[in-house]
């Protein structure tokens, strides 16, 4: 099956290029109006824009579920119109909202659908399904269950695993995470970014949510009414230099969204307000963070606290250098003292960061962005 997708495109991820592509539906509606666009190989391109502006139509023209009325689409430099339609559809992974799983097939069978269609043996298909479940962060024991027995977030992961089963050079995702709650959604986004670091596919991702676009995209394409493209740029560029009022309004408050882009590696946490479980202390003069022998956060000690007193939960920490600035601010806001708790990637506390020391980091990033 991998060989079939390779036939499409040659080895490795393939770029997707739109050349003056239009789609007029039979009823006369112009869904997409002469767009030019390159979705770079191995990168995540995100389509955003108001409802009805041609995002899904554009996406579905890539695997020829919809055929363009004019113009052409090149996949790995080959004209999609010249490729075998069935092979193209099977060879390009496609993930949609609510996962679109077959309800009366088990999870493992859902994932192995395309490989089996292409002649994979049962055993090989089962091994592949297990491997893919692990890859998308699902317990392989779920393979025997049916979609209705899984949560929305788990179903979405199955959708992603199924789309990856044919090792496609291109992955199309149409609002894949929009039906799950914000917390699960964040999980799925992180999982996709982690997965993408391993697989480096060409991903074309549609969303209504600018925050999601900013988090995931290497490049964002803003569609506007009438099926045209208003701007294509990196998230940074789009937020700081919108080409017109429409893009500015659509992208919203860039100051806030910036926080989702800024790294936290420049921050210097202070360790002087951290108390170890083994330390003897009594009548603390101010709030302190209590950590265990492994340096993991146990909770906050109130001023005046003595050993054994009840702790105030530490609700959020952030990974220094790993999480974005927004996580650091969340951590500070959710702490009782306005102090963010910085950890390393193993959740070991490195120290605390107060609001005033977040400010220079934010200003530094902003000035770099505008340079
Ligand atoms: N089968 C169809 N027949 C006629 N018109 C269609 C058809 N499918 C889509 N359209 C129209 O084409 C335009 C683009 O639709 P499309 O589904 O691509 O938008 P979208 O950007 O994905 O919107 P949404 O954000 O709501 O999913 C819309 O005006 C829509 O009504
Ligand atoms: Mg759509």
């Amino acid at each position: 099956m991998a060989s079939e997708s390779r036939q499409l495109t040659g080895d490795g991820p393939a770029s997707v290029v739109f050349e003056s592509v239009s789609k007029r539906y039979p009823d006369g509606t112009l869904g997409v109006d002469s767009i030019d666009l390159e979705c770079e190989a191995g990168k995540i391109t995100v389509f955003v824009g108001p409802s009805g502006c041609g995002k899904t139509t554009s996406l579905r023209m890539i695997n020829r579920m919809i055929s363009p009325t004019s113009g052409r689409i090149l996949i790995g430099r080959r004209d999609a119109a010249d490729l075998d339609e069935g092979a193209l559809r099977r060879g390009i992974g496609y993930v949609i909202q609510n996962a679109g799983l077959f309800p009366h097939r088990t999870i493992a069978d859902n994932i192995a659908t395309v490989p089996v269609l292409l002649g994979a043996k049962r055993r090989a298909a089962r091994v592949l399904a297990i491997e893919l479940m692990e890859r998308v962060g699902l317990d392989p024991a779920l393979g025997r269950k049916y979609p209705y027995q899984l949560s929305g977030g788990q179903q979405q992961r199955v959708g992603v695993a199924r789309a990856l089963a044919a090792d496609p050079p291109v992955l199309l995702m149409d609002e894949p995470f929009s039906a799950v709650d914000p917390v699960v959604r964040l999980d799925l986004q992180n999982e996709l970014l982690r997965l993408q670091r391993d697989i480096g596919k060409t991903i074309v991702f549609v969303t209504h949510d600018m925050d999601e676009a900013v988090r995931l995209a290497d490049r964002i394409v803003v569609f506007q009414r009438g099926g045209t493209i208003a701007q294509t740029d990196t998230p940074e560029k789009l937020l700081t230099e919108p080409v017109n009022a429409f893009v500015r309004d659509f992208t919203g408050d860039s100051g806030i969204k910036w926080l989702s882009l800024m790294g936290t590696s420049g921050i210097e946490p202070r360790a002087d307000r951290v108390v170890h479980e083994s330390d003897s202390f009594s009548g603390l003069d101010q709030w302190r963070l209590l950590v265990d022998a492994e340096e993991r956060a146990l909770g906050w000690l109130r001023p005046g606290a003595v050993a054994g007193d009840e702790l105030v939960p530490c609700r959020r920490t952030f990974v220094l250098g790993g999480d974005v600035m927004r996580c650091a601010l969340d951590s500070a806001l959710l702490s009782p003292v306005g102090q963010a708790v910085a950890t390393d990637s193993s959740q070991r506390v490195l120290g605390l960061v107060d609001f005033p020391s977040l400010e220079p980091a934010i200003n530094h990033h902003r000035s770099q962005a505008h340079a």
Side-chain angles (χ1 to χ4, degrees), residues 25-27 29-32 49-58 66 174-175 206 208:
Y25 284 104
D27 68 357
T29 309
L30 192 56
V32 170
S51 190
C53 62
K55 303 180 296 293
T56 296
T57 304
S58 299
I66 295 175
D174 197 348
E175 304 197 35
V206 174
H208 272 110

Side-chain angles (χ1 to χ4, degrees), residues 270-277 279-291 297-306 309-314 335-337 339 341 349 351-352:
R270 295 173 42 176
D272 56 347
R273 289 175 100 189
V274 178
V275 174
H276 286 81
E277 210 177 8
D279 295 346
S280 57
F281 58 87
S282 62
L284 293 173
D285 57 335
Q286 55 176 324
W287 285 86
R288 307 268 177 159
L289 184 75
L290 188 69
V291 298
L298 293 170
W300 294 94
L301 289 159
R302 293 187 174 80
V306 294
D309 273 0
E310 198 188 344
L311 299 169
V312 174
C314 172
S335 80
V337 277
Q339 304 253 338
V341 179
V349 172
L352 306 179

Side-chain angles (χ1 to χ4, degrees), residues 79-93:
D79 192 336
D82 297 338
L83 298 165
D84 176 72
E85 205 176 313
L88 193 62
R89 226 165 281 166
R90 288 190 296 272
I92 291 183

Side-chain angles (χ1 to χ4, degrees), residues 186 190 215 259 262-270 289 295-297 300 314-335 338-355 357-359 361-362 365:
L186 203 63
N190 284 332
R215 286 184 59 100
L259 298 174
M262 279 176 218
T264 48
S265 49
I267 299 176
E268 287 176 21
R270 295 173 42 176
L289 184 75
E295 313 276 333
R296 313 270 150 89
W300 294 94
C314 172
R315 290 167 61 199
R316 193 72 61 87
T317 62
F318 77 98
V319 178
L320 188 72
D323 280 329
V324 291
M325 192 60 80
R326 189 165 181 162
C327 301
L329 285 177
D330 279 349
S331 173
L333 286 168
L334 288 169
S335 80
Q339 304 253 338
V341 179
T343 72
D344 65 12
S345 55
S346 311
Q347 306 299 315
R348 280 188 293 263
V349 172
L350 298 169
L352 306 179
V353 184
D354 55 19
F355 273 122
S357 36
L358 292 174
E359 216 178 285
I362 293 174
H365 277 275

